[in-house]
């Protein structure tokens, strides 16, 4: 069968042979990738590297490559939100698995290991500030995965159905999807010193996470309903904004992907810790040792 040639309108390659948004070239790609939201946090991660081999910045996408204890590694910032994850994972996969000269898919699949380190708000009162929580299951409120064929093959459909029914899901919102993190990666990174959680990826920070400023909410009781939700003994642990599309697209593309977040606020106890950087730095060091 003849190879499909991907048109320039589908995969935009910059004049320097770098991919459109990330401005990374194929030869710069490492197999182990730490993902963070904040571009400034890339520098914090890179301070742990034995050496830094390159640095690229484009918009909110900041990348530093190098080595850590002899392992080739890179750290990339994705900015805020699930739409940015759609850009980042597609462009990283293109760098790994598409020939930029011929615009054809490479015959041999290259698997990436993607670990997102972030911050999060807890939805269970017993989760203390500073606790690292792995998104063992990620529940996407964003709808990104619903645009891709095969979304049902990587989703926990029973969990989805139960969640939609028990929360009386608003039909005006995107249909939620539920995706597991890579099991081997969870065991390797998480071990026994991190909570295995069920994490919601919200499509926004304020209304979509039940925060009310001046505008009233369409569903003011949603967070309390989510807190009480349980399916096969699993409860929702925390909110963030990127784990579900990361893990969903990762599974569809054949990559290992997971998210681990430090709890910096508890929505049920109304507690928050603005001085969370030490906990995040400790988490970075742990993940770098285990990735």
């Amino acid at each position: 069968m003849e190879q499909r040639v991907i048109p320039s309108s589908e995969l935009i390659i910059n004049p320097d042979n770098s991919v459109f948004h990330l401005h990374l070239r194929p030869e710069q790609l490492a197999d182990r990738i730490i993902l963070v939201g904040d571009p400034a946090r890339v520098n914090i991660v890179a301070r742990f590297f034995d050496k830094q081999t390159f640095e690229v910045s484009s918009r909110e996408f900041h990348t530093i490559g190098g080595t850590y204890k002899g392992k080739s590694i890179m750290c990339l910032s994705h900015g805020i939100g699930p739409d940015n994850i759609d850009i980042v994972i597609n462009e990283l996969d293109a760098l790994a698995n598409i020939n930029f000269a011929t615009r054809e898919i490479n015959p041999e699949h290259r698997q990436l290991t993607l670990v997102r380190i972030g911050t999060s708000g807890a939805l269970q009162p017993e989760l203390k500030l500073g606790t690292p929580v792995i998104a063992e299951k990620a529940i996407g409120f964003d709808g990104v995965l619903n645009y891709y064929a095969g979304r049902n093959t990587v989703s926990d459909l029973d969990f989805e159905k139960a969640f939609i029914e028990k929360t009386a899901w608003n039909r005006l919102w995107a249909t939620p999807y539920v995706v597991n993190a890579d099991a081997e990666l969870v065991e390797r990174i998480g071990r026994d010193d991190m909570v295995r959680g069920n994490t919601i990826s919200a499509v926004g920070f304020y209304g979509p996470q039940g925060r009310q400023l001046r505008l009233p909410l369409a569903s003011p009781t949603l967070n309390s309903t989510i807190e009480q939700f349980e399916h096969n003994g699993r409860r929702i642990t925390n909110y963030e904004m990127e784990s579900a599309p990361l893990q969903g697209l990762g599974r569809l593309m054949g990559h290992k992907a997971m998210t681990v977040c430090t709890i910096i606020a508890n929505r049920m106890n109304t507690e928050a810790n603005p001085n969370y950087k030490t906990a995040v730095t400790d988490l970075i060091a742990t993940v770098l040792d285990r990735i």
Side-chain angles (χ1 to χ4, degrees):
M1 186 170 64
E2 187 177 352
Q3 265 271 36
R4 172 178 173 249
V5 176
I6 300 169
S8 58
S9 59
E10 305 291 299
L11 174 62
I12 302 173
I13 300 173
N14 297 316
D16 65 352
N17 204 44
S18 66
V19 72
F20 184 55
H21 295 92
L22 304 185
H23 279 255
L24 293 173
R25 300 189 306 275
E27 65 270 18
Q28 293 174 312
L29 184 68
D31 289 337
R32 297 178 182 89
I33 304 171
I34 301 289
L35 298 168
V36 295
D38 183 357
R41 194 171 292 162
V42 174
N43 297 94
I44 297 173
V45 175
R47 287 187 199 128
F48 288 90
F49 292 178
D50 306 325
K51 65 177 180 179
Q52 299 178 21
T53 54
F54 72 87
E55 182 172 7
V56 176
S57 288
S58 174
R59 308 185 195 187
E60 60 267 60
F61 309 115
H62 177 203
T63 307
I64 296 178
T67 60
Y68 177 77
K69 295 185 177 179
K71 299 180 293 190
S72 178
I73 198 163
M74 55 190 273
C75 182
L76 164 65
S77 65
H78 52 68
I80 298 175
D83 50 339
N84 278 15
I85 295 296
D86 181 65
I87 291 171
V88 168
I89 303 308
N90 271 285
E91 294 196 0
L92 287 174
D93 181 75
L95 289 164
N97 290 300
I98 296 174
N99 185 314
F100 277 27
T102 65
R103 295 183 166 272
E104 295 177 344
I105 297 172
N106 295 331
E108 297 294 326
H109 178 261
R110 179 179 176 185
Q111 184 179 67
L112 304 176
T113 297
L114 308 161
V115 179
R116 188 179 101 73
I117 300 173
T119 55
S120 182
L123 285 168
Q124 297 298 332
E126 68 272 14
L127 280 176
K128 297 179 180 179
L129 302 183
T131 301
V133 177
I134 290 174
E136 190 170 35
K137 282 188 184 293
I139 302 98
F141 284 8
D142 51 272
V144 165
L145 204 66
N146 300 335
Y147 289 88
Y148 292 90
R151 62 83 80 195
N152 284 2
T153 66
V154 299
S155 299
D156 185 334
L157 300 180
D158 288 339
F159 196 112
E160 285 180 20
K161 182 180 178 183
F163 186 85
I164 290 168
E165 290 176 353
K166 293 178 183 179
T167 59
W169 190 253
N170 188 328
R171 296 174 69 180
L172 293 176
W173 301 337
T175 301
Y177 59 95
V178 181
V179 186
N180 292 335
D182 181 83
E184 185 277 328
L185 196 55
V186 168
E187 290 299 320
R188 191 193 333 157
I189 301 294
R191 300 184 186 175
D192 59 357
D193 55 359
M194 298 180 187
V195 171
R196 308 294 176 87
N198 307 291
T199 301
I200 289 172
S201 292
V203 72
F205 184 78
Y206 290 98
Q209 293 188 39
R211 290 183 173 92
Q212 182 174 336
L213 302 184
R214 288 205 314 116
L215 295 179
L217 301 174
S219 181
T221 61
L222 180 61
N223 277 359
S224 60
T225 302
I226 290 171
E227 181 196 7
Q228 297 163 22
F229 170 82
E230 185 174 329
H231 180 65
N232 292 337
R234 303 190 71 108
R235 303 173 71 188
I236 307 299
T237 49
N238 57 314
Y239 261 127
E240 51 82 82
M241 296 177 65
E242 293 90 12
S243 62
L246 167 63
Q247 293 173 190
L249 291 173
R251 292 184 77 86
L252 283 177
M253 294 176 183
H255 303 302
K256 290 178 173 289
M258 64 163 278
T259 289
V260 57
C261 289
T262 296
I263 298 298
I264 66 168
N266 191 303
R267 301 296 300 281
M268 299 301 109
N269 296 339
T270 65
E271 297 176 341
N273 177 18
N275 301 311
Y276 57 84
K277 292 185 178 180
T278 299
V280 172
T281 302
D282 291 343
L283 182 57
I284 289 168
T286 298
V287 171
L288 281 170
D289 278 338
R290 298 176 181 178
I291 191 170

